[in-house]
Amino acid sequence: AQAALYHYYGIEKKPLDNKLFGVYKHTVVEDNVKLLRGFDDEFYVPHSRYTYVSKEDILANNELTILAESDEAGPNIITTKTGDRIFVMGHSEYDSDTLKLEYERDIQRGLNIDVPNNYFRDDNPANEPIVTWRGHANLFFSNWLNYYVYQETPFSLE
């Protein structure tokens, strides 16, 4: 998403001081958008990255709109005003153990990595992860397929 925002709109990614790593609460910013149909006001999304795009840079582009964002993780779902391009910063597609495996890999490599935020029960990596994003992930992909792919794709039954 960051590469595409740069390619299409010249919005540059910026480095973070520390890796954004964990599961973060997001808020729906735009109501009555088909892509977010059925979403709760707040939902959770995993993130794992060292860079970000600034909210100010996105808002400065009058072709783009932010649909959902997080106080900690920043803009998450960004679209063109026409809805023909969708940019997602988080990783709703992650399996329940993806961040755990990444954390264990980084520890084995000797990296100075924090425990993923809001991921393990009691923030203790000895405990199993708590999946808080699966329902909205499925809803997001279902909405995308239904409203942005199938209903918008011309086809012939003959």
Side-chain angles (χ1 to χ4, degrees):
Q2 291 179 3
L5 284 168
Y6 177 73
H7 174 77
Y8 290 112
Y9 304 102
I11 296 174
E12 295 188 19
K13 66 181 181 180
K14 298 174 181 169
L16 290 165
D17 293 334
N18 297 301
K19 183 177 187 178
L20 181 70
F21 192 40
V23 180
Y24 299 91
K25 180 171 64 174
H26 291 71
T27 304
V28 172
V29 177
E30 290 287 328
D31 292 328
N32 300 316
V33 176
K34 291 186 283 187
L35 190 61
L36 304 181
R37 187 169 286 166
F39 269 52
D40 295 324
D41 294 337
E42 295 178 342
F43 61 99
Y44 292 84
V45 178
H47 288 265
S48 178
R49 55 187 159 89
Y50 288 97
T51 59
Y52 74 102
V53 292
S54 79
K55 179 178 179 176
E56 294 74 26
D57 289 348
I58 294 165
L59 293 176
N61 187 305
N62 52 358
E63 291 182 56
L64 300 173
T65 188
I66 298 170
L67 301 184
E69 64 185 356
S70 165
D71 289 340
E72 296 103 345
N76 181 48
I77 303 172
I78 303 151
T79 66
T80 54
K81 300 235 192 275
T82 58
D84 60 332
R85 291 187 180 138
I86 300 167
F87 309 92
V88 181
M89 299 296 149
H91 291 284
S92 297
E93 80 280 3
Y94 275 6
D95 289 328
S96 60
D97 63 350
T98 303
L99 292 176
K100 177 182 179 178
L101 295 172
E102 184 176 336
Y103 174 71
E104 291 170 349
R105 179 203 66 202
D106 289 352
I107 292 293
Q108 288 176 351
R109 290 180 176 171
L111 298 177
N112 183 16
I113 186 79
D114 291 331
V115 173
N117 289 309
N118 310 310
Y119 178 62
F120 293 110
R121 187 172 307 282
D122 300 322
D123 290 322
N124 181 346
N127 294 332
E128 288 300 310
I130 302 171
V131 177
T132 57
W133 64 91
R134 188 174 294 133
H136 282 91
N138 289 326
L139 186 55
F140 175 84
F141 290 114
S142 176
N143 286 347
W144 173 70
L145 284 172
N146 185 39
Y147 299 118
Y148 293 79
V149 176
Y150 294 134
Q151 289 187 22
E152 299 299 324
T153 304
F155 64 94
S156 173
L157 295 176
E158 297 176 9

